[in-house]
Amino acid sequence: MSREISTCPLRLRHYPGHLEPEYAYTLGIAGERFFREIKENARIMGAKCKKCGKIYVPPKLYCEECFEKLEEWVDVGTKGTVYTFTISFLDEHGEKLEKPEIYALIKFKGTYGGIVHRLGEVKPENVRIGMKVQAVFKPLTERKGTINDIAYFKPIME
Amino acid sequence: MEMFGKRRVAVIGAGMTLFRRNLKETGKELCWEAAKMALDQAGLELKDIEAVVMGTAPDAFDGVHMKGEYLADGAGARKKPYMRVFVGGGTGVFTPIAGWWHVASGMFDTCLVVAEEKMSSCFPHPAYAFHTIFDPIMARPLGVTLIWIFALEMHRYMHVHGIKKEQIARVAVKNKQNALDHPCAQLPQKITVEDVLNSEVLCWPVQRLDISPTSDGAAVAVLAAEHVAKQLTDNPVWIDGVGWCIDSTYWTNRDLYYPKYVECAARMAYKMAGIKNPPKEIDVAEVYDPFDYKELHHMEGLMLCRKGEAPRLTEEGVTQRDGDLPINPSGGLLGVGNPIAAAGMMKVCEIFWQLRGEAGKRQVKKDARTGLAQAWGDLMQYGSVIIMRS
């Protein structure tokens, strides 16, 4: 998907003539490690603040409350809970989607924050707040170190 | 209240343009039209204005990078001290707050506060102009849209308090009805709860009639120090409290069902204005309503009622113009329109007109002496609050 190109500076090229500007966003210090774990080990990590004990998911370099550097990394597993969700009928241009997408905020037990992602293998009418879900990773060879290395989250029995 | 600011600041004039999609006027022309109207009401000319504050939201809407500079002449800022403020959707109420400190600090005796947005420049739909506001790593690759992040928040609010869509739809019905009496309104309509529930589903639970429109427009106020205001008018409206606050950049780190940052901003403004019991002491409020659920969410954050209580007050008619706590008598963003920064400023103008008894058919039934305007912005995390008294 073209909108992922901009996170990879190696793929940027110089062309003569008229070209729209592109941006290369770095993943950041914490982000690089987070996405390497997803890409190489299919693991979702959090970062723990030694002062207040909060475990940030996704991990951050610093605690936004204590302002301490976060140095302890913990594996938070691949299972979480749907905190809230929406069924989207529109794409980011405001155009109608062919098939509605389900997006949810997924929280991981004992952690702070959460991950927003698609839900799959479930019909919109069967999704509930509080439902347990698990990350479904793309095959190793297709993973590129982006949030879409997780294909979607699917419902699981407790 | 000496501990806050040096001098008392009054609003002495207000003006606004029509709110419409695809207005012919440029952004500069919109600023000029509203500013001229506000100056006329204040009985001042541009030469009497000592400083100008501009509020306008993302550059991507108008499609002119450095929009503050671009709009300066229309805002009357040529050869004057000038600054632009920008806190997303919270800009409209934050702009007069910035104007307030220009005057309260003693630096200027008069300040023109201008808010503008021209959202229809962006094709095919300004929805995409929002795309670059999202986190490029975690959110954009998923195809995030502005509507679905609000849908996630709305759904959480409904879930925590057991609120039904029918209850939320009443806000859209009320505000669009109120807008029938506003000469600048874009979407004045007589609709029913069923109309809202039967409208197109965009991102469940958000439907077409739950949302404010895309708009162009400008709104302006003239601020003056006490000694100047008293020379010019017998009816100054005083800015007695201001507050603002931002919450975590990560909306995944917020409660979603309750806007704590609005509460923090409100507490700051109430303390400054000496308000101890907001529901009893606030006579009329313009709270930010880009979506119908946000009016309820914000009433709770402003402590105008208890958490989860706003839907019931709405059902009981308490928030109607003739109710005990009129909310959005203007018609709000849902009815008057939502040119982002100008929409928040329109709310400040409405409170000014309400407290002066100049709101015409929109005038609330009770004798309104103290009013509140609030806006909310950035990524669902910013609150700005202003308290005004006649």
Side-chain angles (χ1 to χ4, degrees):
Chain A
M1 291 202 273
S2 65
R3 57 182 170 240
E4 288 176 10
I5 290 174
S6 58
T7 60
C8 178
L10 296 175
R11 293 181 62 178
L12 296 182
R13 293 286 182 272
H14 173 264
Y15 300 93
H18 183 81
L19 197 66
E20 291 299 313
E22 267 280 8
Y23 291 82
Y25 299 100
T26 60
L27 297 171
I29 309 299
E32 168 142 2
R33 184 164 167 192
F34 175 63
F35 283 108
R36 273 196 193 285
E37 288 284 0
I38 286 178
K39 183 182 171 187
E40 292 164 15
N41 305 317
R43 290 204 298 182
I44 297 173
M45 304 295 285
K48 186 174 181 180
C49 175
K50 63 176 185 283
K51 198 163 173 191
C52 70
K54 273 203 281 287
I55 298 172
Y56 282 80
V57 176
K60 312 287 181 210
L61 183 63
Y62 49 87
C63 175
E64 62 184 11
E65 196 168 324
C66 309
F67 236 43
E68 294 294 316
K69 187 170 182 183
L70 306 183
E71 290 172 305
E72 186 187 341
W73 281 57
V74 287
D75 183 343
V76 301
T78 59
K79 295 172 186 169
T81 307
V82 172
Y83 185 78
T84 180
F85 70 92
T86 181
I87 303 153
S88 179
F89 294 82
L90 303 176
D91 70 10
E92 64 259 62
H93 299 274
E95 303 289 333
K96 201 99 183 157
L97 286 165
E98 270 178 44
K99 188 166 89 53
E101 292 259 26
I102 310 163
Y103 291 100
L105 169 53
I106 295 143
K107 298 259 182 188
F108 298 84
K109 200 174 177 186
T111 70
Y112 180 65
I115 290 178
V116 177
H117 220 296
R118 286 176 217 94
L119 297 187
E121 299 182 36
V122 62
K123 287 186 179 146
E125 57 269 31
N126 294 332
V127 182
R128 295 284 178 273
I129 289 175
M131 183 182 248
K132 303 287 177 207
V133 292
Q134 182 167 21
V136 176
F137 290 84
K138 288 180 181 168
L140 181 62
T141 51
E142 290 175 29
R143 296 207 291 264
K144 296 185 290 189
T146 85
I147 192 64
N148 282 318
D149 286 359
I150 298 172
Y152 53 82
F153 281 76
K154 66 169 185 184
I156 49 165
M157 299 302 283
E158 280 185 68
Chain B
M1 259 132 277
E2 301 81 38
M3 59 183 289
F4 299 104
K6 286 180 174 166
R7 307 193 295 176
R8 214 172 179 201
V9 181
V11 182
I12 58 168
M16 66 182 284
T17 64
L18 294 179
F19 283 5
R20 291 287 185 277
R21 188 149 191 195
N22 296 318
L23 278 177
K24 185 186 267 184
E25 290 85 350
T26 64
K28 295 162 183 272
E29 289 170 340
L30 293 171
C31 290
W32 169 80
E33 186 183 325
K36 189 77 180 156
M37 197 185 296
L39 286 167
D40 284 349
Q41 180 168 30
L44 292 178
E45 293 177 32
L46 185 57
K47 65 175 171 52
D48 304 316
I49 295 295
E50 295 181 2
V52 178
V53 176
M54 161 62 68
T56 188
D59 289 345
F61 289 145
D62 288 45
V64 181
H65 215 121
M66 300 219 310
K67 217 188 335 174
E69 179 276 339
Y70 168 72
L71 295 169
D73 55 317
R78 179 180 161 271
K79 293 185 177 171
K80 292 186 196 299
Y82 175 70
M83 71 175 292
R84 171 194 183 179
V85 297
F86 172 44
V87 286
T91 304
V93 171
F94 190 68
T95 312
I97 292 175
W100 169 84
W101 77 56
H102 274 61
V103 178
S105 64
M107 285 194 75
F108 305 100
D109 282 344
T110 55
C111 181
L112 193 64
V113 175
V114 183
E116 179 270 359
E117 219 71 61
K118 192 166 170 73
M119 299 176 70
S120 57
S121 314
C122 185
F123 275 85
H125 192 278
Y128 198 74
F130 285 104
H131 193 63
T132 53
I133 70 178
F134 295 111
D135 185 297
I137 308 297
M138 292 303 293
R140 282 193 229 169
L142 296 172
V144 60
T145 72
L146 195 70
I147 299 174
W148 67 251
I149 68 166
F150 296 125
L152 291 170
E153 185 180 80
M154 177 175 176
H155 201 170
R156 186 71 196 169
Y157 174 60
M158 291 168 68
H159 176 79
V160 168
H161 296 301
I163 297 165
K164 294 191 172 65
K165 275 225 63 183
E166 291 85 323
Q167 296 174 283
I168 292 175
R170 285 175 187 276
V171 174
V173 173
K174 168 179 72 74
N175 291 4
K176 287 176 189 293
Q177 163 92 31
N178 282 351
L180 287 166
D181 297 322
H182 201 303
C184 299
Q186 181 176 354
L187 279 182
Q189 271 176 308
K190 198 155 176 54
I191 58 166
T192 63
V193 167
E194 286 67 37
D195 291 333
V196 181
L197 300 181
N198 292 331
S199 63
E200 182 191 0
V201 179
L202 304 175
C203 294
W204 178 259
V206 175
Q207 292 174 259
R208 176 68 67 192
L209 288 176
D210 292 313
I211 305 193
S212 56
T214 294
S215 316
D216 301 346
V220 175
V222 181
L223 307 190
E226 185 166 10
H227 67 283
V228 176
K230 284 185 170 168
Q231 282 171 13
L232 288 166
T233 176
D234 295 330
N235 300 309
V237 171
W238 304 102
I239 297 177
D240 278 353
V242 297
W244 63 98
C245 178
I246 194 164
D247 200 347
S248 171
T249 291
Y250 305 99
W251 55 282
T252 50
N253 296 4
R254 302 198 283 272
D255 287 330
L256 301 187
Y257 86 98
Y258 183 72
K260 186 73 184 173
Y261 45 94
V262 171
E263 183 189 314
C264 295
R267 285 190 187 280
M268 179 176 165
Y270 291 148
K271 186 179 176 194
M272 183 169 163
I275 287 175
K276 306 238 161 27
N277 185 344
K280 289 270 178 298
E281 294 179 63
I282 300 294
D283 298 319
V284 55
E286 282 280 331
V287 311
Y288 209 59
D289 61 325
F291 294 76
D292 44 12
Y293 82 97
K294 290 307 297 188
E295 176 171 311
L296 307 170
H297 211 231
H298 289 150
M299 283 171 63
E300 294 171 16
L302 291 164
M303 297 168 286
L304 294 173
C305 60
R306 287 191 292 275
K307 290 180 186 178
E309 194 185 35
R312 182 176 63 73
L313 296 183
T314 306
E315 278 177 294
E316 290 171 358
V318 173
T319 59
Q320 298 280 356
R321 271 190 207 136
D322 58 358
D324 285 342
L325 182 57
I327 304 288
N328 293 332
S330 67
L333 279 50
L334 291 162
V336 186
N338 188 10
I340 312 289
M345 190 68 208
M346 176 276 285
K347 290 182 169 294
V348 176
C349 295
E350 180 70 13
I351 295 299
F352 170 73
W353 290 319
Q354 289 284 348
L355 298 181
R356 300 242 296 195
E358 292 176 350
K361 284 200 274 182
R362 302 190 309 285
Q363 192 66 43
V364 298
K365 199 170 175 188
K366 68 199 281 194
D367 179 24
R369 300 292 178 88
T370 304
L372 175 152
Q374 174 255 338
W376 155 87
D378 284 342
L379 276 180
M380 312 152 67
Q381 72 198 117
Y382 193 91
S384 42
V385 176
I386 200 162
I387 313 282
M388 293 155 74
R389 285 202 183 96
S390 57

